[in-house]
Structure formats: structure tokens, C-alpha cells
Amino acid sequence: MGSDEPKRKRQRTKPESTETLSPADDGLSGLYDFLPPPDPAKDEAAKVAAAKNLFTRPKLPEEDRSKVIFLDIDGVLLPVGSVETIVIDGVAMPVRDRVRESDFAISALGNVRSIVQQTAATIVLSSEWRRTESLRSSIGAVLKSQDIPAFRDFTPVFQPKPEIKDTHPILAWCERRAREIGKWLKDHPEVTSWVALDDLDFAWADSIRAAGTPWMKVRSVHTDAKRCLSEENCQEAVQILLNPPPEPRLPPRRPSFEDREISASRQSSGMLCSTEDSMPAVAAWDSAKRVVGEHYILTMGANIKLAHPFWFATVPAIACGVIAAVNCQWVINLQVSAHLQHGVSGMWLPDDYAARL
């Protein structure tokens, strides 16, 4: 009797092929054809050269904590736009929470090390990328990989001034960074020499500088945001650190009426001036006002003498004092009394006016 189970077909096995596939048959033909064949000897030589370069760099001196480099990252150590960023509260921050050594310009890192090697300066992070711990940590790791000392600190984070934030965001950004650096310097009086490496032009910050904020342009190196920190920038920074430039000296600012009222109240109460305007500058302006006021008094006195000699001793002082106050915004105070007592030819009379009178 035959079996009720259906007959199964036996699968035929193909004989194994002994042919080897050519590169054209493996589906990868041409993908890496442009690359040269590997050369183990050259690869080993490159590794040795890299290691030799690392160990033959000039040894870094012991750090001098009286010298500081305020270091920006984006536009200084890596080209602007090379890392994808997102704007948060008006600040461009990397999308990634960490940066890698491959993101940085190796030549710029070498120039930072050269500045440290020639000046023994310490590094303070002033970049917006200081805001998160992960970014600070990854930046520190990159510096360490290039034998650059880790930064000693980072500047505080302030808010931009609201009156310029919306109309001039770059100006507000630059001014804010100057205030942040100024606050850090106030908290570290041991620092006597410093430089800011940044792709921001701090001339903008100086143009709206407030009392207590340092002058930035003379102590900063403005980098090209695409080329990053160049050798020329490096030498400029070294010169600023080794030979700190003097603070800019501006002509005295003309005090407003409110300034004069405050100054008068402080003098009457025995307080000293604590604003940016020094007392010599205010005194110089008061002297200039007095000279202009005297011109009015003496000129008017000469005219009145010719017309009314009898009233010459009393009228010019009162009338001219009023004219001087109106035109020069100058309060005569005790000068009127002095003129009433001594006449115009008494206290301030120059020789040329005496001849006329």
C-alpha cells in the first residue's frame, strides 16, 4: 500500500562556485578609487611627527595671576557658522551641548598657547558659551588637548540694557560684555594687565560707556570671525599684556544743571565728588564760565561808563551779572557782592580792560 503522505520535493543544491568576485561585482567599485593606497610607513611617520611636535613645544611658564586673557570662542577659536547655533534670549548658543576638538581651528588654538607661553597670562572665559556646564567642560577639554591651561574662571552674566536692546542689539551685546568684564576685574584687584580676544568691536562699547566700565578698545584684539585668531592678533595681544596701554583721556564733559546742583550740595555737605568727572575737570569748566561771565561784565561796564559815568560803580555788576547768568547759565553768587563793593575794576580786571575803563 502506498503512503498517504504527500510526496515532498527534494531541493536541488547548487554547486559552490569557485570564481572570485571582481571589484566591479561587489557593488563598491569606484567609491574609494580616488584615494591613494594605504602607506603604513607614511602613517607611522605622521604619528611620530605629531607626537614630536607636542613634546617639543616651548614649556609653559608658571602662571602669573596678575595677567588675564578674556577669551571669546565663536569667531576667535572657531569660525563663525562652523557650528550650528540657536538663538536663546538674544544669544546664539550651539545646538549641541558639547563641542569637539574637530570643531576648532588648530592654528587659533596654537596662537592662544603662544600668548600664554610668552606672557604667563591666565584665561578667563568671556564667551556666551560659558553659560552651561557641559559647554564649559568640553571647551576646557579641548584646551587641555592642546596643552593650553584650563581657564581659571568665567565672567558673570548680565542683562543687556533695555533702552538699546531692541533698537541696537549688537551694540547692547557689546556693552553688556564690557560690563561683565568690568565686574570681574573689580572683584579681582590683583589683575594689573589684561586683554580681551573677541570678534566684537569694543569701540561700540566705549561709545556708550558708563561710569565704572573699563575702556575696552585699547585692551582688546578684534579678530576676523572667519579667520579666527591669527599670528598678527597673537603678537598684538602679547604687546598689550606686556606693555599695558594707558587709559584714554577725554576732554572734560560739560556738566549739566543737575550736575552743578549735585556738586554744590555735596560741597556744602562736605562730600567729595564720586562721579567720573574729576574735581579738576569741573573746576576747569567753572573757570571757563567765569571768564565768559567776566567778558560780559567788563564789556557792559565799559559801555555804561561811557554813557553814565555816575552809575558805573553799581549798575554794571547787577545788570551784567544777570546777563552772564542767562547766557552762560552761571550763578554769580558772591561775585555780585564783590562787584558792588569793589567795582568792576576791583577783583578780575585784566590790564587791557583797565586801559579801556
Side-chain angles (χ1 to χ4, degrees):
M1 295 179 59
S3 174
D4 296 335
E5 295 180 0
K7 293 181 180 180
R8 296 179 180 178
K9 293 183 178 180
R10 180 180 296 178
Q11 295 182 350
R12 294 182 180 180
T13 58
K14 295 182 179 180
E16 294 183 359
S17 175
T18 58
E19 296 181 1
T20 57
L21 294 176
S22 65
D25 298 331
D26 62 2
L28 299 177
S29 175
L31 184 59
Y32 300 106
D33 288 348
F34 67 95
L35 293 176
D39 189 336
K42 286 186 177 180
D43 292 344
E44 185 64 24
K47 292 179 181 179
V48 172
K52 183 179 179 181
N53 181 52
L54 179 62
F55 290 107
T56 56
R57 288 175 176 175
K59 184 179 179 181
L60 294 178
E62 185 178 354
E63 68 175 22
D64 182 352
R65 296 182 76 83
S66 69
K67 297 185 179 72
V68 167
I69 301 168
F70 290 102
L71 182 63
D72 185 24
I73 299 299
D74 198 19
V76 176
L77 295 186
L78 54 86
V80 168
S82 61
V83 173
E84 187 179 358
T85 58
I86 184 172
V87 177
I88 303 175
D89 295 333
V91 176
M93 297 288 291
V95 174
R96 305 196 311 262
D97 62 346
R98 303 182 66 85
V99 289
R100 299 183 295 266
E101 184 178 354
S102 58
D103 297 324
F104 288 73
I106 298 300
S107 61
L109 289 170
N111 288 328
V112 169
R113 189 187 186 282
S114 179
I115 297 173
V116 174
Q117 190 272 325
Q118 296 181 64
T119 64
T122 56
I123 298 175
V124 173
L125 195 62
S126 59
S127 170
E128 299 302 326
W129 295 9
R130 72 193 186 282
R131 292 173 178 255
T132 66
E133 173 61 32
S134 58
L135 279 174
R136 293 197 302 267
S137 176
S138 59
I139 292 170
V142 172
L143 296 181
K144 183 178 180 180
S145 70
Q146 296 296 314
D147 194 29
I148 301 172
F151 46 86
R152 63 185 275 189
D153 199 1
F154 52 92
T155 55
V157 177
F158 289 167
Q159 293 299 318
K161 290 186 175 180
E163 60 269 23
I164 56 176
K165 177 181 178 181
D166 296 330
T167 55
H168 303 285
I170 299 298
L171 184 63
W173 185 359
C174 201
E175 189 276 338
R176 173 175 59 81
R177 181 163 295 179
R179 283 189 288 119
E180 293 167 345
I181 290 175
K183 177 62 170 64
W184 192 94
L185 288 171
K186 286 180 181 179
D187 294 339
H188 297 80
E190 73 277 8
V191 175
T192 58
S193 179
W194 56 274
V195 65
L197 307 181
D198 212 301
D199 62 337
L200 291 175
D201 188 350
F202 281 112
W204 297 337
D206 287 350
S207 68
I208 56 172
R209 170 179 171 267
T213 303
W215 293 101
M216 294 295 300
K217 184 62 178 178
V218 295
R219 298 287 192 103
S220 66
V221 174
H222 185 199
T223 64
D224 185 306
K226 292 294 185 182
R227 294 179 55 206
C228 302
L229 187 69
S230 65
E231 292 185 6
E232 293 80 8
N233 297 147
C234 170
Q235 293 307 313
E236 184 182 356
V238 169
Q239 289 302 316
I240 292 175
L241 286 168
L242 297 182
N243 302 288
E247 296 292 317
R249 300 188 65 179
L250 297 180
R253 178 176 61 87
R254 176 174 177 173
S256 63
F257 180 75
E258 291 78 5
D259 293 335
R260 291 195 296 274
E261 289 293 325
I262 294 173
S263 178
S265 64
R266 283 177 175 163
Q267 291 177 10
S268 63
S269 62
M271 293 177 60
L272 296 177
C273 180
S274 62
T275 60
E276 257 188 304
D277 296 319
S278 62
M279 289 308 295
V282 176
W285 176 244
D286 289 340
S287 176
K289 292 187 295 181
R290 187 178 67 181
V291 171
V292 177
E294 290 167 8
H295 173 74
Y296 279 104
I297 293 174
L298 295 173
T299 304
M300 183 64 73
N303 294 335
I304 294 178
K305 179 183 177 183
L306 295 177
H308 305 285
F310 178 76
W311 296 100
F312 172 71
T314 57
V315 174
I318 298 175
C320 298
V322 174
I323 294 174
V326 171
N327 288 274
C328 308
Q329 297 183 356
W330 174 51
V331 180
I332 301 301
N333 294 334
L334 298 179
Q335 308 301 345
V336 173
S337 299
H339 278 285
L340 289 174
Q341 294 176 13
H342 303 289
V344 178
S345 61
M347 191 163 56
W348 297 331
L349 187 60
D351 292 339
D352 56 343
Y353 280 103
R356 292 177 58 190
L357 295 175

